[in-house]
Amino acid sequence: MKIEEAKRFHKIDAVVVGAGLAGLRAALEIAKNGHQVAVITKVYPTRSHSGAAQGGIAAALGNTSEDSEASHVFDTIKGSDYLGDQDIIEFFVDEAIKTTYEFEHMGVPFSRTADGRIDQRPFGGHSAPRACFSADITGHVLLHTLYEQCLKHNVHFFSEFQMFSLLIQDDICRGLVAWDIRNGGLHIFHARTVLLASGGYGRAFKISSNAHANTGDHLALVLEQGLPLEDMEFVQFHPTGLYKHGILLSEAARGEGAYLLNGKGERFMEKYAKAKMELAPRDVISRAEQQEINEGRGAGKDKDYVYLDLRHLGKAKIMERLPQVRELGVKYLQVDSIKEPVPIQPTAHYSMGGIPANIRTEVIKDAKGTVVAGLYTAGEASCLSLHGANRLGTNSLQDAATFGRVAGHHMSAYIGSHGYEKMIDNPLDLAQKKIAAFMEGKGTEKHAVIRDELQEGMTKYVAVFRTEQDMLKLKKIIKDLQERFKQVTIQDKGGVFNLDLIEAFEVGNLLAFSEVIVEGALARKESRGAHFRTDFPVRDDKSWLCHTLAWVTDKGVKLDFSRGVTIFMDKYPPQERKY
Amino acid sequence: MAKENLKVKILRYNPENDKKPHWQLFQLEVDSEFTILDVLNEIHWKIDGTLAYRRSCRSAICGSCAMKVNGRNVLACETPLAAFKRRPLKIEPLPGFPIIKDLAVDLDGFFEKLKRVKPYLILDKPVPEKEFLQNPEEFEQIREAAMCILCGACTSSCPSLWANEDYLGPAALLKAYRFVFDTRDDGADERIDIVNDKNGIWRCHTIFNCMEACPKQIKITEYLSRLKVKTVENSI
């Protein structure tokens, strides 16, 4: 199949890539401000992975016990292991309250306290019950409510469109090119502003909580434009992934009081976080689980998992507050958590790193903060950096929604004061080349085989515990896979719903940013938050209290550590992190 | 891990080559613990890259992978192969929707119907400084209906819809219920005007297929019955 020209050309004020919480909240803001906005998403909007978030959305409402913004700020800073930018965190915590009430006014069905207010539950690393929730389907109801609001405000959806390249020249973004999955063919979107809000990349790992769609395509396309990514070595492993599947069992289970047990039936968190126990942050608990397993105290034949135990919560509480958690255990492992503890293991879950951006969500291209005009990013795709080296549970839904709104606000202002920039020459070239290689190439490599080898390597060599030796092995694996990937061709040569093409494209993207994760993790010779080096087991603020910027060049990955962390020394000086 | 030499028939249709859908038999070795989605992935990744189907979350919350397996509408990701005895296993797209390719169906009409019931909170009153108050019992009225993942399994299983494609169908009506019974909402009257129509709530003949098909076990028929009562009350 030859693609001579674009199927369609769209000229529109704003294009939002991704229809999760960040993308939809931004689109809603832009539409309410009277501008035209198109959302492109590789799935249907209600299929976005924000909907899989279960436990809650953080805001210091103080509905069920004393709470304060200051406490939320400090918890987030400490959770980030002091890599979070404190100006961003203060701004976020303050806006979070507004975002949450807005959600309620939009009709989000929240679980309620006896006196009718939004109910709140405890969550790891938060020192007060701060997670506003709807049973254990919080992300789902937030996502659906935003989608409904977008329908009301005539946001235009391009569902099942896959972004294939960004159109950036002279540090100005002019739009993007996307493939129409359903009908085949490339579309050009000429836009005044573009928001990259297409989430995370858990599919780079074999054991992952993420959806098939979470392949971080936007990260690879940003690298392709010669722009950097930030702090990519910080990958969150969630402590309660369903054994072997990696599917998420909500932290809400522990928020409601569930225990973690090793193979001997011991509540092992006592040894690792005596004060917080099962409500320590995720990085701490995932390491504790992995250590139990590594030291032979895991459960099962291969001693390679531990247990999440809900039994003492009782049937009534489990059915009312954690129905999905129970259902997942029953359906995937045939384990009913009312009667038995559930086998779990750490699972790749969330990316603290991403596309570097400032407090206005404008994408930046260097350590000085030079802005790429018209290009914005929000949610898991972005790195502001709100979460630093480790994110606290329930801060991600709030991040996506709050900075989605912030992005929508700034994009609207930009639209109000800027015309359309000239379209670049031959806008389809990049995308067409990629498609032609898969469709018309002569190689015999299969994308699924390469993906499996990558996922295997990432889960084995750059997970909860990392060493130089392991990561050097992985670096070589990735280099070899990148070479082999050039020989990938696809079986499906058609236009309509060509899943083969989309997957081949995705695997190329996984390979591009996985190299950046490994190089960052190799270079950062310290342990901070989710990045733990057994060969450098302590945090080193003297050398490493800085962000990582990484570019992919012809000569390999280029790293820059000159972007400092914003720290208010008078208020929140770095301290030892203990739970 | 136990293995099975599985025979599976999939209803194939590619509009670029085929005049009409046809069955194709695949034979492959699978783990007996596989889900239906695992089977499809295995075929797509190792045998036939041209197979088209939708999937994303793998955990029964995104609603992408509803399809018909051995005569039942299910989510492929959460349904174990072991749930079906009959072989060859038969997998086909959700009935009642136009096929785009293989197992991927056109849901545009489904989402258009959702839009018709005004699926968003309608407010006449000003919003409070903090949250609207709603007690746990009031929340409980809408909790289950809000679990709907819009997978289409219910609507696709509804005989009333097969007979009349203009019928709003269970998913859209459940959405109407979810807002009509939300104590914060002021739009009940206009929404009831929409469902009180020959293609609206009265075409639900309490056949219960939707409830049986719902992967979230939502008591759809019960909620639609409450919506009927409310519609009658409103017109008196």
Side-chain angles (χ1 to χ4, degrees), chain A residues 3-21:
Chain A
I3 302 127
E4 299 300 340
E5 55 185 313
K7 286 267 182 181
R8 278 190 68 188
F9 185 91
H10 311 268
K11 204 165 176 178
I12 192 151
D13 293 333
V15 177
V16 170
V17 184
L21 245 53

Side-chain angles (χ1 to χ4, degrees), chain A residues 238-273:
Chain A
H238 194 291
T240 56
L242 211 54
Y243 178 53
K244 281 191 180 165
H245 297 263
I247 291 168
L248 175 71
L249 293 182
S250 176
E251 186 170 330
R254 283 173 286 130
E256 298 289 351
Y259 299 147
L260 293 169
L261 306 177
N262 64 17
K264 296 171 156 182
E266 299 160 339
R267 275 182 79 186
F268 57 85
M269 282 312 297
E270 207 164 13
K271 287 182 285 185
Y272 303 91

Side-chain angles (χ1 to χ4, degrees), chain A residues 47 63 104-105 107-108 110 112 116 118 140 148 160 182 208 210 212 331-332 491-492 495 503, chain B residues 16 44 49 54-56 58 62 77-78 101 106 108 119 130-132 134 146 148 150 175 178 184:
Chain A
R47 318 295 189 215
N63 279 0
E104 202 279 334
H105 299 156
V108 169
F110 281 110
R112 299 286 169 158
I118 297 170
H140 166 82
E148 292 158 2
E160 303 193 313
R182 186 159 149 183
S208 166
N210 282 200
H212 281 284
K331 286 190 167 155
Y332 289 90
Q491 204 177 341
D492 195 339
E503 288 184 334
Chain B
E16 292 172 305
H44 175 66
R54 290 196 180 99
R55 76 280 190 273
S56 197
R58 307 175 296 141
C62 80
C77 71
E78 67 163 2
K101 182 180 166 189
D106 181 349
D108 285 356
K130 294 184 172 177
E131 66 268 66
F132 288 108
Q134 183 175 63
C148 171
L150 298 175
K175 187 63 85 177
R178 176 252 172 277
R184 297 167 290 184

